Amino acid sequence: MKRFMVLLVPLLACRGERDPENSAICGLGMIAAGNVVLERFSAASTLLETAPPGLTGAVPARVVGRGTTRALAAKGPDSVGIVVGYEGEGFPMRPGWAVALVDDSSEVFRGILVYDSNGPPDYPQIGTISSATSTLPLYGMRIRWASVSDERCPLFADISDPAP
């Protein structure tokens, strides 16, 4: 009975969490979502060759395993594509890479996921993402959004400023 209670208490605590990014269950969901994205990179039909509409201004971004932060995206010089400035903590040094995710059913840009591993070789780069310490390649892909995000555990938290 004691073992059951030891397992039950943390699960109940997670269920009442106001910020899904800080819950254990959503943390596991984030890891699973990151793996789904990695698996989808093998399907060339999901890759984007140009930046998706909506990838400008303030956009949500997160390093896998960390919380959502704000990033600023703008069109760069023609040869660069999109240039994104990451404003949060934990941005990786090289190796690293990022992917702009687009819902494949609505064609809506959803956010940028940053990885701290070697990136995919020979895929079309749509731009770069930078922090104060490093610049990484940015790729783009379409993904079935329901396979990586859920309303109870969204992949990206809302980055809009709270109403006064």
Side-chain angles (χ1 to χ4, degrees):
M1 182 68 165
K2 277 188 176 182
R3 274 192 254 190
F4 176 73
M5 291 303 288
V6 168
L7 292 173
L8 181 62
V9 170
L11 287 175
L12 290 174
C14 292
R15 205 181 103 175
E17 191 75 47
R18 290 190 186 268
D19 180 2
E21 288 198 333
N22 290 330
S23 75
I25 296 299
C26 290
L28 291 173
M30 171 59 200
I31 292 168
N35 285 329
V36 168
V37 171
L38 289 174
E39 289 172 7
R40 295 297 298 156
F41 257 97
S42 62
S45 64
T46 65
L47 300 178
L48 302 175
E49 293 190 19
T50 60
L55 181 50
T56 56
V59 298
R62 73 183 302 170
V63 174
V64 173
R66 294 189 171 262
T68 302
T69 191
R70 191 172 95 125
L72 294 176
K75 293 192 185 286
D78 289 337
S79 62
V80 177
I82 292 290
V83 176
V84 180
Y86 185 85
E87 297 182 349
E89 302 277 327
F91 194 80
M93 301 291 284
R94 283 208 175 264
W97 58 285
V99 59
L101 299 175
V102 174
D103 184 333
D104 69 353
S105 64
S106 65
E107 293 296 316
V108 171
F109 165 73
R110 298 295 186 152
I112 298 173
L113 206 51
V114 182
Y115 291 85
D116 64 354
S117 61
N118 287 321
D122 303 324
Y123 285 159
Q125 189 173 326
I126 64 168
T128 60
I129 184 167
S130 301
S131 72
T133 58
S134 64
T135 298
L136 305 175
L138 175 65
Y139 305 97
M141 79 179 307
R142 287 181 189 85
I143 192 154
R144 190 173 146 266
W145 193 242
S147 70
V148 294
S149 188
D150 179 89
E151 65 184 41
R152 292 169 292 171
C153 292
L155 184 57
F156 299 105
D158 184 7
I159 60 159
S160 62
D161 293 329

